[in-house]
Amino acid sequence: MGEVLSSSSRKAQVIRVAAELFREKGYVASSMRDLAQKLGIEAASLYSHIKSKEEILHILCFDMAEDFMVSLNQVEKQQNLTASQRLQQGIIGHIQVMARDLTASAVFMNEHRHLSQPFLRDFLLLRINYINRFKKMIEDGVADGEFKKEIDKKLAVMTLFSSLNWMPQWYNPDSVIDPESLGKQLADMLVNGLKQNR
Amino acid sequence: MGEVLSSSSRKAQVIRVAAELFREKGYVASSMRDLAQKLGIEAASLYSHIKSKEEILHILCFDMAEDFMVSLNQVEKQQNLTASQRLQQGIIGHIQVMARDLTASAVFMNEHRHLSQPFLRDFLLLRINYINRFKKMIEDGVADGEFKKEIDKKLAVMTLFSSLNWMPQWYNPDSVIDPESLGKQLADMLVNGLKQNR
DNA sequence: CCTACCGATCGGTAGG
DNA sequence: CCTACCGATCGGTAGG
């Protein structure tokens, strides 16, 4: 997990509480006074821990991005697996990272656009890179003959990402289904579809 | 299309320009002064056309919701079709409604949470109803034996909605692929999966 | 559609 | 971590 977020410092606590607030109300609608109140301190006191409101958003977004990258790096090492197996592992990894901190994941997803430049650009470059690496797995599957050659790879990867990204909005981490099973089911649905196998 | 949005009144123009602004910067970060500037008038003059900032958001969200409902009503009438055919028609309809106004669709999707009560509650009830009607189509498909009985229906419908909802973020309406083809491909991918048919 | 303006709230700083 | 405070900006109104 990102260094700051995983620590138990006061700063980390400020960021975790901020994440809850940002998720609930959105970044722009969350005031530093709201945040201070949740922490039981005065707004001005926040600035002993963080440099600015945006620093909080920056840490939340980039710490999550880092975790997603680490997870995908692991998967890409396993070149002994077939494309669909790697895709499955990638999906499971993504969901596991999200499940470790669904609040930060929701902020990562919905609020990153409020980063100012040049951070926004850096963030979007990381995201494009991540998506392209998933797209590569799909292309590998087509090249192998494991996936249909007629599939629209862009549509496939966008559909995959949409479902992954939307998950923090409805997935309940205390539910019966654990992240790994969820990842497997999602991968299976995407790869095999809903239809009865003949 | 919703009455206000489709008209060419000055009010409709204000709302359309607001939609672009809300999409770009988010509802909260968009000021009435930003909006006025885009229209070439003073901020105070906006209030000759609209009652409040929230009225704009309300109209955008509920006009889109109305259009989605009309589309789904049409599909549900076709009980001669199989579940997967109805699902496909539902998906195509949803995408066609979105494609008619991708800007309003993006606002509908990302900014509805800034509606105040009781409008937010009303909106969420409409959305739940809409989702449940798609879920019903999937359940019908399972009951018929057309879809696998092991599928997680909640996961399937959330995956479907995630992809539909995310589309305004990447779909280019001027692209080579028209909404109907896109809907067909998405439905096919969901129903049949990526895997080569044996 | 404009000028003139209001009270509330914003992120953040100085100085302890 | 607090008190005291700043300049900027917010949505919106009065009155034409």
Side-chain angles (χ1 to χ4, degrees):
Chain A
M1 215 158 162
E3 316 99 59
V4 184
L5 261 178
S6 59
S7 107
S8 62
S9 63
R10 186 68 166 143
K11 180 169 184 175
Q13 191 196 346
V14 169
I15 294 171
R16 270 194 298 271
V17 173
E20 288 165 27
L21 194 63
F22 293 172
R23 178 192 202 172
E24 246 177 82
K25 308 182 60 167
Y27 175 73
V28 182
S30 300
S31 76
M32 296 307 268
R33 285 160 180 83
D34 291 337
L35 175 55
Q37 200 181 18
K38 278 193 105 170
L39 286 156
I41 60 177
E42 292 301 316
S45 307
L46 288 168
Y47 295 88
S48 335
H49 306 293
I50 47 107
K51 284 197 264 304
S52 64
K53 186 182 178 185
E54 185 172 356
E55 193 202 7
I56 302 177
L57 182 62
H58 186 280
I59 291 171
L60 285 167
C61 290
F62 284 85
D63 275 19
M64 285 304 305
E66 164 88 33
D67 291 353
F68 286 124
M69 288 302 179
V70 168
S71 163
L72 187 52
N73 291 343
Q74 294 300 325
V75 172
E76 285 177 337
K77 282 184 191 151
Q78 313 186 346
Q79 287 292 335
N80 53 316
L81 302 180
T82 68
S84 70
Q85 286 169 332
R86 259 180 292 131
L87 187 59
Q88 186 195 47
Q89 288 303 309
I91 292 170
I92 293 172
H94 187 102
I95 293 177
Q96 281 173 335
V97 169
M98 281 195 345
R100 255 189 281 158
D101 193 341
L102 280 166
T103 305
S105 298
V107 173
F108 168 90
M109 265 302 309
N110 299 315
E111 310 298 335
H112 69 256
R113 65 168 163 161
H114 295 111
L115 287 167
S116 64
Q117 297 294 6
F119 308 117
L120 180 57
R121 195 188 51 224
D122 296 343
F123 181 90
L124 296 177
L125 286 173
L126 285 177
R127 189 174 69 168
I128 281 282
N129 173 270
Y130 189 73
I131 292 178
N132 280 340
R133 287 157 71 188
F134 270 89
K135 197 170 166 206
K136 179 74 166 54
M137 295 184 200
I138 293 176
E139 287 163 352
D140 288 349
V142 174
D144 293 354
E146 195 179 6
F147 294 156
K148 301 172 195 164
K149 65 178 187 313
E150 319 85 53
I151 63 167
D152 181 327
K153 292 152 203 159
K154 185 183 172 189
L155 179 62
V157 79
M158 291 323 278
T159 300
L160 170 60
F161 264 84
S162 307
S163 3
L164 290 178
N165 290 339
W166 209 245
M167 218 160 264
Q169 318 248 3
W170 63 269
Y171 177 58
N172 174 4
D174 304 321
S175 81
V176 280
I177 183 165
D178 61 292
E180 188 173 348
S181 308
L182 181 60
K184 279 186 180 159
Q185 283 195 42
L186 181 59
D188 178 68
M189 194 166 78
L190 204 75
V191 170
N192 295 312
L194 299 178
K195 208 174 203 168
Q196 192 65 258
N197 295 323
R198 294 136 302 131
Chain B
M1 215 160 161
E3 316 99 59
V4 184
L5 261 178
S6 59
S7 107
S8 62
S9 63
R10 186 67 168 144
K11 179 169 184 176
Q13 192 196 347
V14 168
I15 294 171
R16 270 194 299 271
V17 173
E20 288 166 27
L21 194 63
F22 293 172
R23 179 194 202 169
E24 246 178 81
K25 310 182 59 167
Y27 175 73
V28 182
S30 300
S31 75
M32 296 306 269
R33 283 159 181 84
D34 291 337
L35 176 55
Q37 199 180 19
K38 279 194 104 171
L39 286 157
I41 60 177
E42 293 301 317
S45 307
L46 290 167
Y47 295 88
S48 335
H49 305 293
I50 46 107
K51 284 195 265 304
S52 65
K53 187 182 178 185
E54 185 171 357
E55 192 202 7
I56 302 176
L57 182 62
H58 186 280
I59 290 170
L60 285 167
C61 290
F62 283 85
D63 275 20
M64 286 304 305
E66 164 87 32
D67 291 354
F68 286 124
M69 288 301 181
V70 168
S71 164
L72 187 51
N73 291 343
Q74 294 299 326
V75 172
E76 285 178 337
K77 281 183 192 152
Q78 312 186 348
Q79 287 293 335
N80 53 316
L81 302 181
T82 67
S84 71
Q85 286 169 332
R86 259 179 292 130
L87 186 59
Q88 187 196 47
Q89 288 302 310
I91 292 170
I92 293 172
H94 186 103
I95 292 177
Q96 282 173 334
V97 169
M98 281 195 344
R100 255 189 281 159
D101 193 341
L102 279 165
T103 305
S105 299
V107 173
F108 168 88
M109 263 304 308
N110 298 316
E111 310 299 335
H112 68 257
R113 65 169 163 160
H114 295 112
L115 287 167
S116 64
Q117 298 294 8
F119 308 117
L120 179 57
R121 194 188 52 223
D122 296 343
F123 181 90
L124 295 177
L125 286 173
L126 286 176
R127 189 173 71 168
I128 281 283
N129 172 271
Y130 190 72
I131 292 178
N132 279 340
R133 287 156 71 186
F134 270 89
K135 197 170 166 205
K136 178 73 165 53
M137 296 182 198
I138 293 176
E139 287 164 353
D140 288 349
V142 173
D144 293 355
E146 195 179 7
F147 294 156
K148 300 171 195 164
K149 66 178 188 311
E150 321 84 55
I151 64 167
D152 182 325
K153 292 152 203 159
K154 185 183 173 190
L155 178 63
V157 78
M158 289 324 277
T159 299
L160 170 60
F161 263 84
S162 306
S163 2
L164 290 178
N165 290 338
W166 208 244
M167 220 160 263
Q169 318 247 4
W170 63 270
Y171 177 58
N172 174 4
D174 305 322
S175 82
V176 280
I177 183 165
D178 61 291
E180 187 172 349
S181 308
L182 181 59
K184 279 186 182 159
Q185 283 196 43
L186 181 59
D188 179 68
M189 194 167 79
L190 204 76
V191 170
N192 296 311
L194 300 178
K195 208 174 203 168
Q196 192 65 256
N197 295 322
R198 294 135 302 130

